[in-house]
Amino acid sequence: MWLFAIFVAVPIIEIALFIQVGGLIGLFPTLAIVVVTAALGTYLVRKQGLAELRRIQQSLDRLSNPTRPLAHGAMILASGLLLLTPGFFTDAVGFALLVPGVRDAVMHHVRKRIEVKAFTVGGQPMREPPPARDDVVEGDYVEVPRHEGPSGWRRD
C-alpha cells in the first residue's frame, strides 16, 4: 500500500511544484534548473559512486563487513535515479541522499527493521582479519643446487 501511495503522491507533488515554480520564475528558467540539476546530479553520483565502489573493494579485500559501503552504494544509485527524474521534489530527495550523514541516518533507520543473521564468503562466516604485523616481510625464494666444496666456489 505504501508503494502505491508513493507512486500517486510523487507525481502530484512534482506537478504542483512545477506549476508554482514555473509561475514564479517562468518556463525557461524552470527548464534550465531541471537540466542543470540533472547534469550536476549525474556528476556527483558518478564521483561518489566510484568512491563507494573502491570502499566496497577495500572491505572485501580486508575481509571486513561490507554492509555500510554496499548500503551507501545502493542509496547513491537511488539518488542517481531520483536526480535523473525531472522534478524538484525528486531532485531534493536525490541530493539529500548524496550527503553521507543522511545516508547514515537512513541506514540506521532501516537497520532497526532488518536483522542480518550471518554474512559469509566462500561458505565460511566472515571474521575480522588478524591485525597487521610490521615484522613480517613477504618474499620469493629460489632453491640453489648444492655445489662441491665448502663454499660452493671452484677454482679453475
Side-chain angles (χ1 to χ4, degrees):
M1 192 63 181
W2 284 101
L3 196 58
F4 177 73
I6 289 171
F7 277 113
V8 170
V10 169
I12 291 172
I13 292 169
E14 293 293 4
I15 291 169
L17 286 173
F18 270 124
I19 291 170
Q20 289 294 318
V21 173
L24 207 69
I25 63 173
L27 174 66
F28 292 113
T30 303
L31 293 176
I33 290 172
V34 170
V35 171
V36 168
T37 57
L40 179 63
T42 302
Y43 169 76
L44 291 172
V45 165
R46 181 173 182 214
K47 185 175 177 180
Q48 288 192 14
L50 290 173
E52 210 58 50
L53 184 60
R54 278 192 296 277
R55 285 188 198 96
I56 292 169
Q57 289 172 339
Q58 289 169 352
S59 69
L60 292 175
D61 288 343
R62 289 188 312 254
L63 296 177
S64 62
N65 188 351
T67 303
R68 184 177 187 275
L70 282 171
H72 279 249
M75 285 186 267
I76 291 170
L77 178 65
S79 170
L81 292 173
L82 290 170
L83 287 167
L84 288 176
T85 303
F88 295 107
F89 179 71
T90 54
D91 285 349
V93 174
F95 279 121
L97 284 175
L98 288 178
V99 177
V102 172
R103 291 195 305 260
D104 283 332
V106 169
M107 191 171 140
H108 179 70
H109 179 71
V110 170
R111 190 180 289 162
K112 288 181 187 176
R113 298 172 179 255
I114 296 175
E115 181 181 346
V116 177
K117 295 287 185 183
F119 179 79
T120 61
V121 172
Q124 297 297 323
M126 290 284 287
R127 292 194 262 316
E128 290 296 321
R133 293 177 45 184
D134 292 334
D135 62 341
V136 176
V137 177
E138 291 188 28
D140 294 327
Y141 68 94
V142 177
E143 284 191 37
V144 178
R146 282 196 107 142
H147 295 286
E148 298 297 321
S151 66
W153 288 91
R154 292 191 304 190
R155 280 193 183 204
D156 287 331

